[in-house]
Amino acid sequence: MRKVKQIFRLYSQGVSKRQISSRLGLSRNTITKYIAFFQRYQFTSYEVSAMTLEELHKLFKSDQKPKSVYILI
């Protein structure tokens, strides 16, 4: 989750997704996913930096769609 904070901090400073990907060793798709998440909820860089790692983890966990359950008859 520390990298998540770094992603948003760098992006809010104007660093490109490609450069963030290179600096943090993450794929551009991963960078795009996290940036889109923060933009969807309209978080500011201050709000993200103020969150604890546990809060970030819960936030991402609660946003995931539940897995489908199939009942075979």
Side-chain angles (χ1 to χ4, degrees), residues 20-33:
I20 295 170
S21 171
S22 177
R23 287 185 191 184
L24 300 181
L26 299 170
S27 76
R28 280 184 290 158
N29 289 336
T30 300
I31 302 300
T32 300
K33 179 183 90 170

Side-chain angles (χ1 to χ4, degrees), residues 46-59:
Y46 176 76
E47 290 171 328
V48 174
S49 65
M51 288 182 188
T52 65
L53 298 179
E54 188 174 298
E55 288 172 331
L56 277 173
H57 181 69
K58 286 180 183 179
L59 184 64

Side-chain angles (χ1 to χ4, degrees), residues 3-54:
K3 286 190 177 186
V4 173
K5 284 187 168 192
Q6 290 176 328
I7 290 168
F8 197 71
R9 180 180 53 81
L10 291 169
Y11 186 73
S12 65
Q13 292 173 350
V15 179
S16 73
K17 293 175 188 175
R18 185 178 299 251
Q19 289 173 328
I20 295 170
S21 171
S22 177
R23 287 185 191 184
L24 300 181
L26 299 170
S27 76
R28 280 184 290 158
N29 289 336
T30 300
I31 302 300
T32 300
K33 179 183 90 170
Y34 284 120
I35 290 170
F37 178 85
F38 287 122
Q39 288 175 336
R40 182 173 12 146
Y41 290 102
Q42 300 179 352
F43 286 115
T44 65
S45 58
Y46 176 76
E47 290 171 328
V48 174
S49 65
M51 288 182 188
T52 65
L53 298 179
E54 188 174 298

